[in-house]
Amino acid sequence: MKKASRLFPYLLIFAAAILLLLPQIVSKSTIVGIDSVFHMNRFYDTAMQMKTGRYNYFLSVFGFQQSARMVNPLYGPLSAYFNGLLLLIGGSWFRYQLLSSTIVLFLSGATMYHLSFKLNVDKFNALVVAIIYMLSNLVMAWVVGEQFTGWGAALLPFLMISGLDMAKAHRVRILLLAIPMTLLLQTHIMSSLIGACALIPFFFYGFYYSNNRKKMFLNAISTVFITLALTANVWGGMLEVYSKNKLLPVAPQTEMASDSIALFGKHVFVLNPIYSGIIIFVILYFIIFWKKITLISHVTFLNGMFFLWISSCLFPWNTFYKLVPGIAYFIQMPRRFSVIAFILLILCFGMIMTEKSASKSINLLKLVTPFIAVILVFLQGSTLIHQGVKAYNSPGVLYNDYNVHYQSYDNNQLRNSLRSRDAEYAIKALTKATPDYLPIDYKVTPTNYFDYHPYGNYDQRIIENRLPLKKSVNTKGNLKLIYENNNGNKTIELPVIKYHNTQIYLNNVLQKNVKTSHIGSIYLNMKSGKNVIEVKYQPEHWLTILLWITSISWIILIGYFILRLLKRGVKYYSKK
């Protein structure tokens, strides 16, 4: 019975996720959002690597028009393979989307529910907190837009569990901190950095009151080294690539204030009124009852308020951008910081609703208010799903077609491609010229970024390059291209991207001093007749060692948990 009662809240969270997705399930609609096409190419690439057994960790040899560009090693490598596995399991983009959306919704709700216990929130209000967070725009960004911040938002409550444990128990539990940080770094680096910043107040609070500061400090250092070992592929890959190449950053946001949040107003990202109401209520409650509230709740509230401030239009982002222009690339959208504010302030809301009052009417109000809040946010989330379904059945098919090029204007054919078990069908029908991480030969600044037309150049040189090439991937995972030249010796531009350690073989001869365009596409002199080009990536030796360290570290970690489960099983049956 105890196990059933423990599982019941998680079953309710799962049921809420399925209920939310029900319109999409019934209509068999695929919601193609602002980042869908980009991530579809990432996951198709890893799915095909796993399906064929022809792995290339560094280059895109199946996705992104088989251009050998680099994306996954620099953008959540482990999560890319996990999502590729989901695509293989689902078999189509529609089924993949249902699987991934269900996981993100359930994960965000389950981790938030568990986090609530750290502030002694009762089961009912913990469930309320979980569903309210699960249906926030931060998590729903994945469900309706396939923005990867949604995966980060789903994992961050898991990291905050370790933060509140640090503050309350005045300790650092090594694996409780290392595992969520590792998962975040392997998924979404920006979310991991935001989460790390949010841990700082909890760590110092716990450290100040700790009776064994030395142990707490040494555990924190141990956590860092374990995390570094488990993520050596991430930071090692970035170190190697960025040290040898000048890469194009993401498109800058020079008007940063316009991408900040506000509780109300115009020309900014205005929060849903329900969430604005919850935040205002929490702020007023803490101001009025400040002296009666526990110190740990003060730290949680102030931490949440700090992140609310830096994510809002009240922070002087435009002035800050003028002082440090690089933040236009690095931070890009200040509203990203609101994820911590949402987690901690919604958590405070649950704590407030849990407190019992001497007045029966107030207790009744505290019972009714969270229930109404859940209904309203569920209706709002359901509206987003219905809008996505409506878009799928409209002439345009896509929920957001910003910068997407339709290679097929047959709407029924496009819908079929999203439901087809041939996942390549859809990524050929829809293309998007996202030039992030291309190797460039010019100095880029936030003000001159678009002067070189990176989007247009990538579209022209890679996507729209119509050379009659036969493309395949050999058993070593290298890209192979065959070009039949019937016009005598000539130099052609191939739709292939070259990085510093990319090796180009033409008819089994390694080509040195290969000329490239300013976005990294290559020029080769072709002889008359058949030309065979092989593209491979040769990493530095030290990076190969780091990749082995990552693999061994994960094997040890998984083995440790298997041994723990076996010990528990033996102990359980020996008692019986």
Side-chain angles (χ1 to χ4, degrees), residues 204 273 414:
F204 280 113
L414 191 54

Side-chain angles (χ1 to χ4, degrees), residues 195-261:
C197 292
L199 289 177
I200 293 171
F202 294 126
F203 175 80
F204 280 113
Y205 176 88
F207 189 77
Y208 181 78
Y209 287 101
S210 177
N211 294 322
N212 195 341
R213 293 177 181 174
K214 183 180 178 181
K215 184 180 178 182
M216 189 173 177
F217 179 75
L218 289 174
N219 281 2
I221 297 298
S222 299
T223 301
V224 170
F225 281 107
I226 289 171
T227 304
L228 287 174
L230 290 165
T231 60
N233 63 313
V234 179
W235 57 266
M238 294 182 75
L239 184 63
E240 196 225 27
V241 178
Y242 277 96
S243 65
K244 300 287 185 179
N245 301 273
K246 188 185 293 182
L247 301 187
L248 187 72
V250 296
Q253 173 58 277
T254 53
E255 289 294 326
M256 296 187 72
S258 64
D259 238 322
S260 59
I261 67 166

Side-chain angles (χ1 to χ4, degrees), residues 41 60 62-71 405 407 427 431-436 438-439 453-469 471 479 481 493-499 516-523:
N41 277 273
S60 299
F62 290 101
F64 295 103
Q65 296 77 42
Q66 295 184 281
S67 60
R69 64 179 290 192
M70 200 177 291
V71 178
H405 297 275
Q407 302 300 327
I427 64 169
T431 58
K432 189 170 185 177
T434 307
D436 301 355
L438 292 179
H453 309 291
Y455 285 81
N457 267 292
Y458 182 76
D459 185 55
Q460 179 187 350
R461 296 175 184 276
I462 305 297
I463 297 174
E464 296 299 326
N465 189 321
R466 304 299 184 185
L467 278 174
L469 295 167
K471 298 180 182 179
L479 183 64
L481 304 96
E493 182 180 13
L494 289 168
V496 171
I497 301 296
K498 184 186 184 304
Y499 295 84
T516 60
S517 70
H518 61 271
I519 63 161
S521 56
I522 66 173
Y523 297 96

Side-chain angles (χ1 to χ4, degrees), residues 407-436:
Q407 302 300 327
S408 170
Y409 289 94
D410 185 326
N411 297 336
N412 290 326
Q413 194 177 63
L414 191 54
R415 292 187 190 96
N416 289 338
S417 73
L418 295 167
R419 287 196 291 247
S420 171
R421 296 194 73 85
D422 181 4
E424 188 181 22
Y425 191 8
I427 64 169
K428 283 186 174 180
L430 298 168
T431 58
K432 189 170 185 177
T434 307
D436 301 355

Side-chain angles (χ1 to χ4, degrees), residues 11-301:
L11 291 174
L12 281 178
I13 291 167
F14 180 76
I18 297 298
L19 187 61
L20 182 74
L21 296 171
L22 201 58
Q24 191 179 355
I25 295 168
V26 172
S27 63
K28 295 183 179 179
S29 304
T30 308
I31 302 173
V32 181
I34 189 166
D35 287 341
S36 294
V37 175
F38 176 72
H39 291 302
M40 284 164 70
N41 277 273
R42 289 180 63 211
F43 306 149
Y44 175 75
D45 191 78
T46 55
M48 289 302 295
Q49 287 183 39
M50 288 184 281
K51 184 177 180 179
T52 61
R54 301 182 176 192
Y55 290 90
N56 193 315
Y57 178 81
F58 299 96
L59 307 179
S60 299
V61 291
F62 290 101
F64 295 103
Q65 296 77 42
Q66 295 184 281
S67 60
R69 64 179 290 192
M70 200 177 291
V71 178
N72 284 330
L74 307 173
Y75 196 136
L78 186 64
S79 65
Y81 280 95
F82 176 73
N83 279 276
L85 180 61
L86 290 182
L87 177 58
L88 287 179
I89 294 168
S92 69
W93 291 111
F94 165 67
R95 290 192 183 93
Y96 158 77
Q97 190 172 82
L98 289 181
L99 276 172
S100 64
S101 294
T102 302
I103 290 170
V104 167
L105 288 167
F106 176 75
L107 191 61
S108 60
T111 52
M112 195 67 182
Y113 177 81
H114 192 66
L115 174 63
S116 301
F117 288 111
K118 292 297 176 183
L119 272 183
N120 303 317
V121 178
D122 63 36
K123 284 188 176 181
F124 171 73
N125 283 298
L127 195 58
V128 167
V129 163
I131 293 173
I132 288 175
Y133 180 71
M134 183 175 82
L135 297 169
S136 67
N137 63 288
L138 304 159
V139 178
M140 291 295 289
W142 173 259
V143 179
V144 297
E146 292 198 3
Q147 293 173 274
F148 228 60
T149 49
W151 279 94
L155 289 167
L156 274 167
F158 186 20
L159 183 65
M160 291 300 102
I161 290 170
S162 66
L164 279 167
D165 185 71
M166 275 190 264
K168 289 193 76 176
H170 314 147
R171 64 186 177 184
V172 172
R173 292 170 64 186
I174 295 172
L175 290 182
L176 185 65
L177 178 55
I179 291 172
M181 184 56 76
T182 295
L183 292 175
L184 278 162
L185 283 165
Q186 293 279 8
T187 301
H188 194 246
I189 290 173
M190 189 62 192
S191 293
S192 68
L193 294 175
I194 291 170
C197 292
L199 289 177
I200 293 171
F202 294 126
F203 175 80
F204 280 113
Y205 176 88
F207 189 77
Y208 181 78
Y209 287 101
S210 177
N211 294 322
N212 195 341
R213 293 177 181 174
K214 183 180 178 181
K215 184 180 178 182
M216 189 173 177
F217 179 75
L218 289 174
N219 281 2
I221 297 298
S222 299
T223 301
V224 170
F225 281 107
I226 289 171
T227 304
L228 287 174
L230 290 165
T231 60
N233 63 313
V234 179
W235 57 266
M238 294 182 75
L239 184 63
E240 196 225 27
V241 178
Y242 277 96
S243 65
K244 300 287 185 179
N245 301 273
K246 188 185 293 182
L247 301 187
L248 187 72
V250 296
Q253 173 58 277
T254 53
E255 289 294 326
M256 296 187 72
S258 64
D259 238 322
S260 59
I261 67 166
L263 302 182
F264 45 81
K266 295 179 180 179
H267 310 300
V268 287
F269 187 86
V270 180
L271 296 181
N272 179 282
I274 306 303
Y275 291 93
S276 295
I278 289 171
I279 290 170
I280 291 168
F281 170 74
V282 169
I283 293 170
L284 291 174
Y285 184 91
F286 269 77
I287 291 171
I288 296 167
F289 298 102
W290 183 261
K291 291 182 179 180
K292 295 181 180 179
I293 295 167
T294 62
L295 193 55
I296 186 68
S297 298
H298 287 167
V299 176
T300 304
F301 171 74

